[in-house]
Amino acid sequence: MFNHQAWSLLLAHINQYYGQEKGVIPLHAPCFDAREKALVVDTIESTFVSSVGAYVTEFEQAVALFTGAKHAVAVVNGTMGLYLALKVVGIQPNDLVLTQSLTFVATPNAIKMHQADPVFIDVEHKTLGLCPESLSAFLNEHTEQQLGQCVHRQTGRVIRACMPMHTLGFPARIDVILEICNQHNVALVEDAAESLGSLYKGLHTGRFGKVGVFSFNGNKVITTGGGGMLITDDDELAASAKHLSTTAKISHAWKFEHDESAYNLRMPNINAALGVAQMQKLPSFLAEKRHWALSYQQLPGLVMLKESNNSQANYWLNALLCESEAERDAFLEFSNGQNIQTRPLWTPMHQLPIYKDCLRTDLPNTEWLAQRIVNLPSGVVCSKKPEKGSHG
């Protein structure tokens, strides 16, 4: 039995908040004003629009300061940020990387770019993040230590890293995950793509593992159009990430010499200019998103996902929990039919043909949640809103 009365109240609430008289209310549109335009114009007039420019450094410093990280390294997008993070912690071809199936495809794609393979671990109902108990059970049952490395008994392949995601901005129980990883000599890399502004036990996401990675895609809390950022407290990993992302060029006033086979992954200055302006607004964005999330949670007849104990979520995307897959699909049709963009979670990675043969644990929570969650419009209100739908 579908609760059309509660749904109608919800959509009226969304229409009133966003005040959009025509077009589609998007899931999460970017919010720009004169400040972004001024810095982009300044970048254009400076002629330093590519990967060399003052705004790249300023943006890195702003993210490092906000998160409390010692280092931040800006890159072209979050996917390549994950790739680079795995590279600097030592991922090699034929390795295995522990991760979750309930994630965006960028997570396993970054693993496959290394000619390694993901191993899918189940998630938790409450946090949507990788389940420490499922992780521990897999490692205890299927791995052993050989010469200081975690080795999968059945295949003989090394498990060199674990890459959980802070799903929708809800922090995973990352301290417990870190403890398990340390017990088994597995490096922790945090996919923090969606969680800028989220804290767990007072520490920003991305700060628990060796490296954390944010995304600044057009639909994130702040955006640079495209872009990503690695954060770390490790001096050597930060230096390696920056060096590899800039074609491993040896610093010199005019010579072009390179000491490794590397990549051109640095964020362009024109994108970083947007990031500098957006970081100045991040506290107000987070405050508005929290206010909006609480208003959703107070509506009758709905079950909304909330931040768990010891955590502070950025509420990147608000999540409605339906009673069944049929109710989810009915609500998606109902809401999108009224020009309000809603969407389900991603198809779990183990259900995609490209990843169906990967090693995995039982994934009951992953499949249960994927069948029931709907994301609702969650962007901040801007003075002028676009009339089209998704922004990435």
Side-chain angles (χ1 to χ4, degrees), residues 59 63 66-67 169 192-199 204-205 214-216 220-222 279 282 286 289 313-316:
F59 186 34
V63 172
F66 182 83
T67 61
E194 302 168 356
S195 66
L196 183 65
S198 296
L199 308 178
H204 202 289
T205 55
F214 300 113
S215 169
F216 305 117
K220 295 301 189 292
V221 178
I222 68 165
M279 282 300 294
L282 179 57
L286 292 170
K289 288 173 69 63
N314 65 3
Y315 286 107
W316 170 54

Side-chain angles (χ1 to χ4, degrees), residues 24-35:
V24 175
I25 293 177
L27 196 67
H28 200 297
C31 186
F32 300 140
D33 62 21
R35 180 60 176 162

Side-chain angles (χ1 to χ4, degrees), residues 2-4 6-11 14 296 302 304 320-322 324-338 340-344 372-377:
F2 303 149
N3 193 342
H4 288 284
W7 294 357
S8 296
L9 180 63
L10 170 60
L11 298 196
I14 293 170
Y296 272 137
L302 303 175
M304 299 295 301
L320 170 67
L321 184 64
C322 298
S324 65
E325 186 174 12
E327 184 181 64
R328 180 203 69 178
D329 291 345
F331 178 76
L332 287 166
E333 184 174 357
F334 178 75
S335 52
N336 282 281
Q338 297 193 36
I340 294 178
Q341 186 181 46
T342 60
R343 75 177 193 194
R372 289 165 173 79
I373 288 179
V374 173
N375 291 131
L376 305 177

